[in-house]
Amino acid sequence: MKRNKILSTAVFMLLWLPQLLFAQQEDSFSKMKPGDWFEVRVNDYNGYLYEMKYHLAKILDNGNRDYNLTFERIRIKLLSPGSLSLGYDSYYPAYLQSNNETLDKPGFQLQVNKVGKTISMKADKDFQPVLLNEITARKKSGGSSAEMSPVQLETAQTISETVTTAIGSHHSQLFNGGKLKDSDLSILLFGASFPLPKNTLLTGNISNFKNGTQQQLSLYSASNGGYFTIAEDGSFKIPLSIKEPIDVQLYDEGDLHISLFVKPGDTLTITADGNNIEESLRFLGKGARTAELGVQMGKIERKISAGTKEVDPKSFSTADFMTQQQKDKATFENVLNTYKGQIPEDAWNYYYFKFTFEQATKKLRFLSRTGNLSTPGSTEIFKDFPTDFFLSIDTLPILMIDQTSEGWYQRFLHDFDLYLGDKVGMVSGQFGFFASYPRSLTFLKRFPLYYSLSESLKQELVNSTWKQAQSLKAYYEDLIRNCGDSILTNPVKQNWKVISAWAPGKASPLTSLKLSDGKTLDLKQFKGKTLCLTFNFHYPDNIKHLIDRIKKQDPKKVHFVIAQIDQKEFPKGTIDSILKSLPNVTYVEVSRDDEQRDKAVLLDFWDVKTFIFDSDLKIVDDNIDDSYKPQNDHLFEDALKRAMITRQMSPEKKAALIRTIGWSACSIFVSFLVGLWIYKVRVANLKKKELMKRQIKELEIKAIRSQMNPHFLFNALNSIQSLINNQQYKEANVYLQKFALLMRRVLNNSEKSFVTLSDELEAVELYCELEKLRFDFTFSIDIRKEVNADLIEIPGMIIQPLVENSIVHGLAQKGTAGALKIKICLEQIYLKIEVTDNGLGLKKESADQSSNGFGLKLVRERLNLLNARGAKGNLILSSNLEGDESGTSAVLTIPID
């Protein structure tokens, strides 16, 4: 009955989980605020994978949204059956040495409406082409590669609109990574600045879950939190949030070991009988058939393991080893091929690659055990091996697979690096980081290259002193700038941060030790003496050689702290009592896990490291390898001498040092006061000169303005006289009324250096209405939406001369056919005013005369005064004469604050 209820619940979750997930999340998207973000993974099933991050920049009044879109990762696999296939991954690009630039991620400015439709989209800049390299084994000499843009604007727009409309329509597939209807894309929402619901669910029950079973059975995932809890009654419910498939392992302390391939969106229910788990396992849900294959693979691996013999370096047979591998492969393929087409392709590939790489790893370890010899009697390494023995080893690293985080893949890369080291070492005879670095750059690409570099650099930092690490700085910076995978770079960054804190002369980053009994040892209590701190993460008796060293030192000057790891599996030591009896030794035991210590010190199992401090607990030297290597003793002796010199200063020298510091400080202080006085006097003089220049410029502007106003009055009175002479008394009366209104506005602004754009345009409009009574033309004023006429200030009466020039010289003869247009817009920090007419235009013989009229001359002079302040105003006159068209265009550019 209980099992039936669990199965019913699982069916319900399978059918309704996606809808329930988006129902919870719908409100989160509608409540996003500027600064919020979300990430999606998009797969187009044609070899392209994108990880895209949307930052909400602005929500407009009409509900549209502005996003900053970044393509965090682009992975391309162009598969060509029967020929070479090419690939690229922006996480692992072509490696650039001495690279001073960080990764260039394609970015776009995006605006979408309420339902996710794209309104506009533009790239931040042009993208550099990327290089695609081979991802399958080459069958003939030569190589292939191709350059292409990482993403086209049209492609980015199509993908992005699919994402935003799916969110706008509350598409349930967003949480399980399934293929969208009527689309070649699958989309998975996997990260956000707001909480996201879990997208995968594992449930189940183990009946007859007895005490013995409880202690032995485990559910584990290395990439998603480690061990999962199974309740005392055998039930479990494990919600997960994953962006790519993971390996969940079900195993006990016996033979049971099953790898379950779990994808985003899976709802897998597992039931079994605790008395016979493997044979009674049953699965229900989206990943049930794949889980059944996982059980079969577990049985095959156990069968293969049982038939594998331990390699004896004295009596091994390479031919027998190859024969066994071929049998194991046939057994594996017989089972795997029965599931072809019955499970998702990526699940089938997962088990195929897992077996293939594990077989290659066994071959690498066979080589390691046999010393790279083909037979026990061989005298040369890597010689006389069977045909194709090395083929699977040498061709696998070039493959571009999805399971880069899996342990079986990384174990292969680790052993493959050792194998390469052995092969290259035949010629170079060099080993270590500075040998592996060029080797990796030569033989590896993409993830294998960056994995190899990050692992070797991380380990080299563990084994380095601060001084030695400085020679690695360029290699460290290159790796960080080239690699886009934080899973690889973060551990290296952490090691670099730790080692950087140990610069000689700095205060110790480690001030206390957490002991295995829960107590704390405060290192500050040893101030006043030179301190030697030794961590022994090896067998206790491995530091026996330190006893003689310690006895040579004066207990009044040097103190030793021995921190021995408390490891139950280690043999009991025989020297701890001797060390504890020495007067200048503090012997303590520490646990393996100490988060605070691990943030300050880089330690591995089997390490014996010594750190030396002066009497003020300042660093003298660090990370001295104190395992039994007589050649390293001089490192300790040299560091100890430097620490002793630091503390050996007589009272007379201290007094002399204090006097010197005092006189130096007084001299510096007096010099500072004199310099400060000189600086203030000079600044005051410069301010006075600048004020005088500003006042002179203001007076010049007022003088020009006083010339412009009479010029305008003279022209206006001429217009009134012309109406009266033509006996247009009614028009003259209206003209006088508007002229009076205009005069009042001009006089109000006459004492102002700057007026608002709105006031200036009202005056221009009045003037146009006055002139319209004379010449009967049409006019319009167009102000762009981004121009705030009430806030922008410009010099008064600077537009009117341009308008007057167009009317008098261009439209006077046109009558009702005349048209005047005034357009105003913003261009960066400039206000652009364009006055155009359809008048006679600037004829060649009169161009100079027209453009040098008194009013225009005054406009140019005012612009020159503005330019003297550092801005760049301009006035350009041009003719619109093209064919039968006529007219003049005057473009005035005014800098604004």
Side-chain angles (χ1 to χ4, degrees), residues 732-769:
N733 187 45
V734 173
Y735 196 110
L736 277 171
Q737 185 180 6
K738 293 189 176 183
F739 177 74
L741 182 61
L742 180 59
M743 282 302 93
R744 183 171 184 176
R745 184 172 296 279
V746 170
L747 291 173
N748 283 340
N749 294 334
S750 62
E751 288 303 313
K752 299 178 181 178
S753 297
F754 290 83
V755 298
T756 63
L757 178 60
S758 58
D759 287 344
E760 177 73 358
L761 291 178
E762 287 178 9
V764 169
E765 187 175 4
L766 280 171
Y767 175 77
C768 289
E769 289 176 356

Side-chain angles (χ1 to χ4, degrees), residues 8-257:
S8 300
T9 302
V11 171
F12 173 79
M13 295 301 294
L14 175 63
L15 295 174
W16 290 100
L17 180 62
Q19 288 77 9
L20 291 173
L21 291 176
F22 213 102
Q24 298 175 44
Q25 204 56 35
E26 177 181 344
D27 197 48
S28 296
F29 284 104
S30 65
K31 290 183 178 180
M32 284 181 67
K33 297 178 181 178
D36 284 342
W37 56 268
F38 62 89
E39 288 184 285
V40 295
R41 170 178 276 214
V42 180
N43 194 325
D44 74 347
Y45 295 98
N46 292 313
Y48 289 78
L49 180 143
Y50 308 94
E51 290 185 6
M52 305 157 63
K53 192 169 189 176
Y54 290 78
H55 279 271
L56 180 59
K58 186 178 181 181
I59 301 177
L60 306 181
D61 294 338
N62 60 3
N64 291 353
R65 296 186 172 198
D66 286 342
Y67 286 100
N68 296 323
L69 170 60
T70 305
F71 279 72
E72 296 289 328
R73 183 182 184 185
I74 299 174
R75 193 189 69 190
I76 304 170
K77 287 199 290 187
L78 302 181
L79 303 179
S80 301
S83 62
L84 284 175
S85 299
L86 302 177
Y88 165 79
D89 194 329
S90 65
Y91 266 18
Y92 320 108
Y95 197 83
L96 299 178
Q97 299 182 66
S98 301
N99 177 31
N100 294 322
E101 298 181 2
T102 54
L103 288 171
D104 187 16
K105 299 178 181 178
F108 298 86
Q109 305 300 315
L110 170 69
Q111 185 177 120
V112 300
N113 63 15
K114 293 181 180 179
V115 296
K117 291 290 184 181
T118 302
I119 304 300
S120 63
M121 187 175 188
K122 65 177 182 179
D124 290 338
K125 61 180 180 180
D126 294 334
F127 309 133
Q128 295 296 321
V130 298
L131 186 66
L132 278 70
N133 292 307
E134 299 166 4
I135 57 174
T136 51
R138 190 186 303 159
K139 296 182 179 180
K140 57 184 178 180
S141 61
S144 297
S145 62
E147 275 194 351
M148 62 183 296
S149 173
V151 60
Q152 299 283 353
L153 177 62
E154 296 79 6
T155 303
Q157 185 168 329
T158 300
I159 295 171
S160 179
E161 185 161 296
T162 304
V163 172
T164 52
T165 53
I167 290 175
S169 62
H170 319 309
H171 206 297
S172 60
Q173 296 284 26
L174 279 170
F175 283 95
N176 59 29
K179 188 175 181 181
L180 300 180
K181 186 178 180 181
D182 302 324
S183 173
D184 289 332
L185 302 178
S186 67
I187 302 173
L188 175 66
L189 179 67
F190 69 85
S193 58
F194 43 86
L196 292 178
K198 307 295 185 182
N199 58 14
T200 305
L201 182 64
L202 301 181
T203 61
N205 183 69
I206 309 297
S207 61
N208 296 317
F209 199 55
K210 303 173 184 177
N211 289 335
T213 308
Q214 290 180 15
Q215 296 171 3
Q216 296 177 4
L217 190 65
S218 298
L219 267 172
Y220 175 80
S221 172
S223 58
N224 210 273
Y227 290 94
F228 302 125
T229 302
I230 301 177
E232 292 183 359
D233 63 353
S235 64
F236 55 90
K237 182 177 181 181
I238 307 169
L240 301 172
S241 182
I242 57 178
K243 73 172 184 178
E244 57 189 6
I246 64 171
D247 175 26
V248 176
Q249 299 180 30
L250 178 64
Y251 67 93
D252 60 16
E253 294 180 359
D255 295 332
L256 180 67
H257 197 147

Side-chain angles (χ1 to χ4, degrees), residues 323-338:
T323 300
Q324 184 61 48
Q325 281 222 323
Q326 291 168 0
K327 290 180 179 178
D328 295 342
K329 182 179 179 182
T331 302
F332 164 77
E333 289 179 345
N334 285 338
V335 174
L336 184 65
N337 288 335
T338 60

Side-chain angles (χ1 to χ4, degrees), residues 646-674:
T646 302
R647 70 178 297 271
Q648 288 176 351
M649 183 178 289
S650 66
E652 292 78 14
K653 290 183 178 180
K654 287 184 180 179
L657 179 62
I658 292 172
R659 285 195 299 270
T660 302
I661 293 173
W663 280 109
S664 299
C666 290
S667 299
I668 293 171
F669 182 72
V670 171
S671 300
F672 171 77
L673 291 178
V674 173

Side-chain angles (χ1 to χ4, degrees), residues 121 427 524 589 701 806 848 852:
M121 187 175 188
V427 179
K524 294 179 182 178
E589 291 186 337
I701 290 175
S806 290
D848 293 337
N852 289 320

Side-chain angles (χ1 to χ4, degrees), residues 555-595:
K556 296 180 180 179
K557 296 180 179 179
V558 184
H559 193 82
F560 292 83
V561 172
I562 308 295
Q564 171 66 49
I565 188 173
D566 182 14
Q567 195 73 17
K568 305 305 181 186
E569 294 82 2
F570 282 0
K572 185 172 178 60
T574 61
I575 65 168
D576 53 338
S577 58
I578 300 173
L579 290 170
K580 290 177 182 178
S581 68
L582 297 175
N584 55 341
V585 173
T586 300
Y587 184 91
V588 294
E589 291 186 337
V590 296
S591 62
R592 179 67 185 90
D593 299 320
D594 184 347
E595 185 176 347

Side-chain angles (χ1 to χ4, degrees), residues 1-2 49 83 86 96 119 123 200 238 246 308 316 330 340 354 383 408 484 494 539 545 573 616 628 652 695 763 857:
M1 181 65 71
K2 185 174 181 179
L49 180 143
S83 62
L86 302 177
L96 299 178
I119 304 300
T200 305
I238 307 169
I246 64 171
T308 301
F316 65 90
K340 189 79 171 179
K354 182 176 185 293
K383 189 176 182 182
W408 46 264
Q494 177 60 26
Y539 298 150
H545 60 284
D616 293 322
Y628 187 58
E652 292 78 14
Q695 289 175 342
K857 181 179 179 182

